[in-house]
Amino acid sequence: MEADLLILGAGVAGVYAALAAEERGAKVLLLAKDPFPSGSTPWAQGGVAFPLDEEDLEAHLQDTLRAGRGLVDPAAARSILEEAPRHLERLRALGLAFHPDPTREGGHSRPRVRHLGGDRTGALLLEGLRARLKAPIREGWTALSLLLEGKRVAGVLALGPEGPVAVRAGAVLLATGGFGRLFPVTTNPPGATGDGLALAFQAGATLRDLEFVQFHPTALPSGALVSEACRGEGAVLLNALGERFMPRYDPAGELAPRDVVARAVFQEGLRTGGVYLDLRPIPRLEARFPTVVAQARALGLDPLREPLPVAPAAHYAMGGILTDLLGFTGVKGLFAAGEVASTGLHGANRLASNSLLEGLVMGHRAALAALEDLAFPQNPEPLPVLAAPPGILPSLREGAGRALGVVRRGEGLAAFLRFLEDLPLEERPLASRAELEAGSLLLLARLMARGALEREESRGAHFREDHPKEGKPRHTLFRKG
Ligand SMILES: Cc1cc2nc3c(=O)[nH]c(=O)nc-3n(C[C@H](O)[C@H](O)[C@H](O)COP(=O)(O)OP(=O)(O)OC[C@H]3O[C@@H](n4cnc5c(N)ncnc54)[C@H](O)[C@@H]3O)c2cc1C
């Protein structure tokens, strides 16, 4: 198999990138390890944040900067937000009928989040994009490592239905999503194991700010998410005593930034024994949030009659592979877009619904940039695969939940790091999918714990009980060797 552009991952970033490359006449190969629809994209409920107009662009930028607590790159954020309206038009031209009235979500000063099919935005967006794609999505293909010749990436070693295959390409775009599966309670799908970050790390790319993982404040006991848009439309948080507590934590109440709400939910849960989300104030609840209602009913709960038990769950990786504003990783032939990347848009805390937007804008840009610099070296060789025994995962997750959760402490992080150093992480010529995933998660746990321990401050999604104040803004960078 050979292609001009090899795209790994069929979420919003990968599929939108493939469309852009096909429009330029390129030969595209799109591999995904799970059957379509895969990744976090089809699970996205709330919507996509698009600035409403020129004036709102400034307000959207300010909201993004405020949420990101000093670590958003203002130039990157401005550039992505400026391009957003063009993509809304393009999506509409492709037949995606966003609801005419935008919704307001936490951290946004105005209603500017566009949704499809009530709370089915991600699923309908992805299906709508896929329907316009000419190339098939090849499912059941797991990228194990990158092929390299000299210092240039020239394809991947992938595990296909019939075994390992070296797939050559003029450029590779990583669109493999995040790593929420490091945590015991997460809103992320089973494939969110951070493989793309491990592949890029092995090839010499820089990873940035991995310690910033956003915890969604309101997940059901199953990990299913209750969209922030519910709070935007009137749902209130109650503690086990039946008290509405958010106004005590933040003047914006239930619509405070996610990190503030997640910590408040965590603390009120500890203090009173539980936290509940009351959806009954939402008019026409079942029509507006059909997925949420169905997910609650699947657990035997009835949101039309009773408040739902909720808790914070690992949700979104703000950090990722450092890229420029064209999705270039600094390693020749290697690009990254979507949740796997760190462009500087999210800083220490992502503003709700900015991630699908980033996947669209950066997927499109990265595809075009990659096509500008294709090369086909003769004899690329696969890099070693990072692998670990899948049996480590239960204790790895339990430890991550304790040490790297909503509230962190230095001793807990140091102890977790010592535990991680004793777990076997090997470089091998080949591995199974399960071994690759365990290896990726172990690598990320080590880097993240180191970043969280060294960051002796509290900022955005990173809260250190032993260092509760914000220090000087700085990034954490991780490189192999
Ligand atoms: C429950 C939930 C709700 C959300 N709601 C919203 C929302 O309302 N608005 C918003 O903006 N954001 C939301 N987010 C975040 C957003 O959905 C994600 O950040 C975004 O969809 C990520 O898109 P992506 O294309 O980068 O990756 P993903 O959609 O996660 O896709 C990753 C792809 O990579 C593939 N893959 C992974 N590893 C490999 C490998 N080794 N080899 C081959 N393929 C691989 C997967 O199979 C998948 O196809 C939500 C997230 C969750 C979990």
Side-chain angles (χ1 to χ4, degrees):
M1 283 199 288
E2 249 192 65
D4 295 327
L5 180 59
L6 170 59
I7 300 176
L8 301 174
V12 63
V15 175
Y16 201 57
L19 270 178
E22 278 187 349
E23 280 168 12
R24 296 292 189 286
K27 182 174 175 208
V28 178
L29 202 52
L30 184 49
L31 305 185
K33 66 181 178 180
D34 286 312
F36 189 88
S38 60
S40 292
T41 302
W43 293 16
Q45 300 173 357
V48 195
F50 292 101
L52 301 168
D53 50 34
E54 279 294 312
E55 187 205 329
D56 187 46
L57 175 72
E58 295 306 322
H60 193 162
L61 178 61
Q62 289 311 317
D63 292 345
T64 302
L65 292 171
R66 199 173 317 113
R69 302 295 320 171
L71 289 187
V72 172
D73 173 346
R78 178 177 289 283
S79 146
I80 290 169
L81 296 180
E82 268 174 0
E83 199 175 303
R86 205 151 69 67
H87 293 281
L88 177 58
E89 266 171 45
R90 198 171 123 80
L91 294 174
R92 284 183 164 145
L94 291 174
L96 287 156
F98 283 93
H99 194 281
D101 300 326
T103 308
R104 186 168 166 214
E105 290 193 10
H108 286 274
S109 54
R110 297 192 193 159
R112 61 168 79 91
V113 176
R114 303 274 173 183
H115 57 94
L116 291 163
D119 57 5
R120 299 186 57 227
T121 305
L124 295 181
L125 174 65
L126 197 57
E127 183 46 49
L129 296 176
R130 198 267 291 252
R132 274 127 199 115
L133 208 59
K134 288 195 223 102
I137 296 172
R138 288 171 201 254
E139 302 162 348
W141 285 84
T142 302
L144 294 177
S145 74
L146 292 163
L147 305 182
L148 212 68
E149 182 170 308
K151 293 199 164 161
R152 185 174 175 105
V153 168
V156 299
L157 176 67
L159 197 55
E162 279 154 33
V165 177
V167 184
R168 311 262 303 263
V172 174
L173 171 57
L174 295 168
T176 47
F179 54 92
R181 284 281 155 172
L182 176 58
F183 290 87
V185 184
T186 176
T187 62
N188 287 193
T193 51
D195 310 355
L197 290 105
L199 263 65
F201 185 76
Q202 286 291 81
T206 301
L207 308 185
R208 179 167 72 171
D209 293 343
L210 297 180
E211 64 272 29
F212 293 107
V213 165
Q214 183 171 81
F215 291 86
H216 197 287
T218 55
L220 295 174
S222 58
L225 170 150
V226 183
S227 166
E228 189 144 41
C230 292
R231 278 173 279 132
E233 298 198 13
V236 291
L237 282 161
L238 307 171
N239 62 22
L241 308 174
E243 298 161 345
R244 188 174 168 212
F245 58 85
M246 270 318 299
R248 272 197 280 117
Y249 286 84
D250 194 285
E254 275 79 2
L255 291 182
R258 278 198 181 154
D259 58 315
V260 176
V261 185
R263 268 196 306 283
V265 168
F266 179 79
Q267 276 157 1
E268 289 292 315
L270 275 187
R271 195 175 71 82
T272 69
V275 168
Y276 299 84
L277 185 65
D278 192 351
L279 301 175
R280 290 171 299 179
I282 300 175
R284 300 189 315 110
L285 172 62
E286 213 164 344
R288 175 65 184 91
F289 295 106
T291 310
V292 170
V293 172
Q295 283 170 336
R297 287 196 175 138
L299 297 174
L301 301 163
D302 184 355
L304 301 179
R305 288 169 182 273
E306 59 192 336
L308 304 176
V310 290
H315 185 54
Y316 183 82
M318 266 76 71
I321 305 164
L322 178 63
T323 70
D324 67 12
L325 286 178
L326 297 174
F328 179 53
T329 63
V331 177
K332 275 196 176 311
L334 186 64
F335 293 77
E339 190 168 340
V340 74
S342 169
T343 59
L345 175 65
H346 307 300
N349 194 19
R350 172 187 69 126
L351 184 67
S353 289
N354 265 358
S355 40
L356 288 176
L357 174 67
E358 186 190 39
L360 290 164
V361 174
M362 292 307 299
H364 184 86
R365 282 189 191 175
L368 300 190
L371 294 182
E372 291 295 312
D373 179 34
L374 300 180
F376 298 87
Q378 288 303 301
N379 298 304
E381 291 288 333
L383 286 162
V385 186
L386 270 184
I392 65 167
L393 286 178
S395 57
L396 179 63
R397 289 190 172 122
E398 195 204 314
R402 246 184 295 115
L404 289 166
V406 177
V407 174
R408 302 166 176 177
R409 287 192 65 81
E411 307 98 78
L413 289 165
F416 185 48
L417 259 177
R418 285 194 297 277
F419 164 76
L420 294 174
E421 291 307 328
D422 286 340
L423 296 180
L425 182 60
E426 286 177 9
E427 291 199 333
R428 305 227 307 252
L430 264 182
S432 67
R433 168 176 169 168
E435 290 167 333
L436 164 87
E437 292 182 342
S440 303
L441 289 176
L442 177 52
L443 169 75
L444 294 172
R446 284 184 183 170
L447 300 179
M448 197 179 160
R450 212 185 317 138
L453 182 62
E454 285 168 11
R455 189 173 283 283
E456 293 188 330
E457 63 158 353
S458 291
R459 177 185 299 278
H462 168 75
F463 183 77
R464 284 279 299 263
E465 210 171 34
D466 47 348
H467 294 281
K469 293 221 170 82
E470 212 168 76
K472 281 211 183 99
R474 66 163 181 87
H475 291 287
T476 313
L477 302 178
F478 309 90
R479 274 194 81 176
K480 193 173 180 192

